[in-house]
Amino acid sequence: MASLFFNLNARLGVNKLDQCLVNQHISRSYDHALYYNPARRRLSNLSSSKRWLIVDQQRKVCSARGGIYTNNDSDVAEDVSKPTLIWRAVKLPIYSVALVPLTVGSAAAYLQTGIFSVRYYFILLASSILIITWLNLSNDVYDFDTGADKNKKESVVNLAGSRSGTLITAYLLLLLGFIGLLWTSLNAGNIRSILLLASAILCGYVYQCPPFRLSYQGLGEPLCFAAFGPFATSAFYLLLSSASETSFLSLTGTILAASMLVGLTTSLILFCSHFHQVDDDKVVGKMSPLVSMLNFVQWKILNSFVRLGTERGSEIVKVAVIMLYSLVFAFGLCGALPLVCIILCALTFPMGKLVVTYVKENHKDKDKIFMAKYYCVRLHALLGAALSVGLLAARVLGSR
């Protein structure tokens, strides 16, 4: 070691030696063991600007040596406060996926019957929130088991420090939520709705829970579309329509069209949540759509790597948004949706354009692309509100 120190000191100087040590120690570890790393400790005492300067120097040195530079951005570049991590773990905006299918289904039922049950609506809303919480908590547990969330600081398991406690809480919430759905279905005398809701829950289970874990096979988006679109939205329509004397309404073109739009925007949220997790998913073998498309091509320009997977993913987001609004206008032309729905949905187009632009410009930046799913949540909520208000207005105005 003394000889190595002398040679490095003579050729590169003490500062260069320190840089090499930092470059040696800042690396990713995907096993579950924690180890002492003096280089990280030294970096944590520096200001943010200085840390970025060192990271940039490391990247250049690695490229000159023909290697691949990797670092844990969350350790080096970002010091996230505990309240921020808790906010991310709660994922409050994501609960719009519980609100939108119920509200759109209720509005479609009101269009047919002219009756709205406040009691059923809020019982179903509370039950849906409990089930979405189960979905989020159990997803964190099973991703923790596979190592996909090892570097995810906002994982509930990492924050709580208890895998078993998180899992038990998740399934207790699922039980309570399902009891609420079952009670409402039996009280309304509509068995078809509970079968549809059970199918939606089953989609969530096979999506993430062992032994299925179909999300690891790239099937998360189709399952998400079916669960929140045709299954959940149609089930809520049947339940809320059962509050009237005219029970057992058949599924109409209106509710089927609306449920497809809800399912598409929900799937878009899931798709955009993969962008900032490509590296971790790839390592643990989680074949999300972006990992499936991912190829690393080394360019000797700016000493960087072009991620063809995320680039193609940004194009898919564009196609999905175009398809969304194309379906809106197609459903309007064929009379499946009232004209007022088409007008209101068209007003959300700037939000759709913002989603496309944001993903296109930031798909290579892991820190910024994290926010893409929240832009999708806004689009999901706005389009759901437009559909709901449009269906209610069509009933009030007596137009279809």
Side-chain angles (χ1 to χ4, degrees):
M1 284 298 296
S3 176
L4 176 61
F5 178 86
F6 177 80
N7 291 334
L8 286 173
N9 188 36
R11 292 180 55 193
L12 302 175
V14 176
N15 291 336
K16 289 295 184 180
L17 172 61
D18 184 68
Q19 177 177 306
C20 288
L21 289 173
V22 170
N23 188 49
Q24 175 185 353
H25 286 286
I26 298 182
S27 58
R28 272 191 163 161
S29 174
Y30 287 96
D31 55 17
H32 290 278
L34 297 177
Y35 58 90
Y36 174 72
N37 192 329
R40 278 187 187 168
R41 188 167 222 176
R42 186 160 55 251
L43 281 175
S44 65
N45 294 328
L46 299 177
S47 65
S48 178
S49 60
K50 289 183 179 180
R51 276 182 285 165
W52 276 115
L53 178 60
I54 291 177
V55 169
D56 184 61
Q57 290 172 347
Q58 295 159 4
R59 185 178 290 111
K60 291 178 180 179
V61 170
C62 279
S63 179
R65 295 175 179 173
I68 300 175
Y69 174 82
T70 59
N71 72 288
N72 191 329
D73 294 333
S74 61
D75 286 344
V76 177
E78 184 181 12
D79 292 325
V80 183
S81 65
K82 190 68 172 289
T84 300
L85 290 176
I86 294 175
W87 170 255
R88 290 182 180 180
V90 172
K91 302 175 185 175
L92 189 60
I94 300 297
Y95 284 86
S96 65
V97 301
L99 179 65
V100 170
L102 174 59
T103 305
V104 171
S106 302
Y110 182 80
L111 176 64
Q112 295 294 325
T113 65
I115 295 175
F116 175 74
S117 174
V118 176
R119 182 180 64 163
Y120 282 177
Y121 180 88
F122 282 104
I123 292 175
L124 292 172
L125 179 60
S127 301
S128 299
I129 290 174
L130 291 174
I131 291 174
I132 295 300
T133 306
W134 158 73
L135 199 63
N136 287 334
L137 292 179
S138 59
N139 182 67
D140 279 359
V141 170
Y142 295 125
D143 278 350
F144 175 83
D145 289 344
T146 62
D149 278 0
K150 179 182 182 300
N151 297 312
K152 186 178 178 183
K153 292 183 176 181
E154 65 270 19
S155 168
V156 176
V157 178
N158 291 333
L159 285 173
S162 173
R163 177 198 179 278
S164 58
T166 304
L167 188 61
I168 292 172
T169 301
Y171 279 96
L172 284 176
L173 294 176
L174 172 62
L175 179 62
L176 291 174
F178 188 76
I179 289 174
L181 297 179
L182 182 61
W183 180 88
T184 307
S185 299
L186 293 176
N187 196 52
N190 196 313
I191 303 302
R192 293 179 300 167
S193 59
I194 195 60
L195 294 177
L196 287 171
L197 290 171
S199 299
I201 294 172
L202 181 62
C203 286
Y205 186 88
V206 299
Y207 162 76
Q208 64 189 13
C209 300
F212 305 100
R213 285 182 174 143
L214 295 185
S215 62
Y216 281 67
Q217 308 303 319
L219 299 176
E221 282 69 20
L223 289 170
C224 183
F225 173 85
F228 292 95
F231 288 155
T233 307
S234 299
F236 291 138
Y237 161 79
L238 293 174
L239 274 177
L240 271 298
S241 64
S242 298
S244 69
E245 295 179 356
T246 309
S247 299
F248 303 107
L249 289 180
S250 60
L251 295 175
T252 64
T254 298
I255 187 58
L256 291 177
S259 67
M260 289 181 64
L261 298 176
V262 171
L264 186 56
T265 54
T266 310
S267 298
L268 189 60
I269 296 173
L270 177 61
F271 185 84
C272 287
S273 70
H274 296 311
F275 277 95
H276 70 289
Q277 295 180 315
V278 169
D279 294 334
D280 289 343
D281 288 347
K282 186 169 184 283
V283 168
V284 300
K286 185 176 182 179
M287 299 303 293
S288 70
L290 294 181
V291 173
S292 300
M293 294 183 291
L294 184 60
N295 289 306
F296 282 100
V297 178
Q298 186 175 8
W299 293 86
K300 295 298 183 180
I301 302 175
L302 300 179
N303 299 320
S304 63
F305 288 87
V306 178
R307 289 181 179 176
L308 298 182
T310 57
E311 185 174 352
R312 291 172 186 167
S314 67
E315 293 299 322
I316 289 179
V317 171
K318 180 179 180 180
V319 171
V321 172
I322 292 174
M323 182 187 300
L324 174 67
Y325 287 99
S326 298
L327 286 174
V328 168
F329 288 108
F331 291 148
L333 290 175
C334 70
L337 290 177
L339 178 61
V340 64
C341 274
I342 310 306
I343 295 173
L344 292 176
C345 287
L347 296 178
T348 68
F349 182 76
M351 190 67 234
K353 184 179 179 181
L354 177 60
V355 169
V356 173
T357 303
Y358 187 85
V359 173
K360 182 178 180 180
E361 292 178 351
N362 299 291
H363 67 88
K364 298 178 185 177
D365 190 326
K366 288 176 61 176
D367 293 329
K368 291 183 178 179
I369 200 61
F370 176 83
M371 292 299 299
K373 62 182 178 183
Y374 293 108
Y375 284 109
C376 292
V377 168
R378 295 180 190 179
L379 175 61
H380 175 67
L382 286 175
L383 192 78
L387 284 171
S388 301
V389 173
L391 293 170
L392 294 174
R395 174 75 186 193
V396 173
L397 298 175
S399 62
R400 293 298 302 273

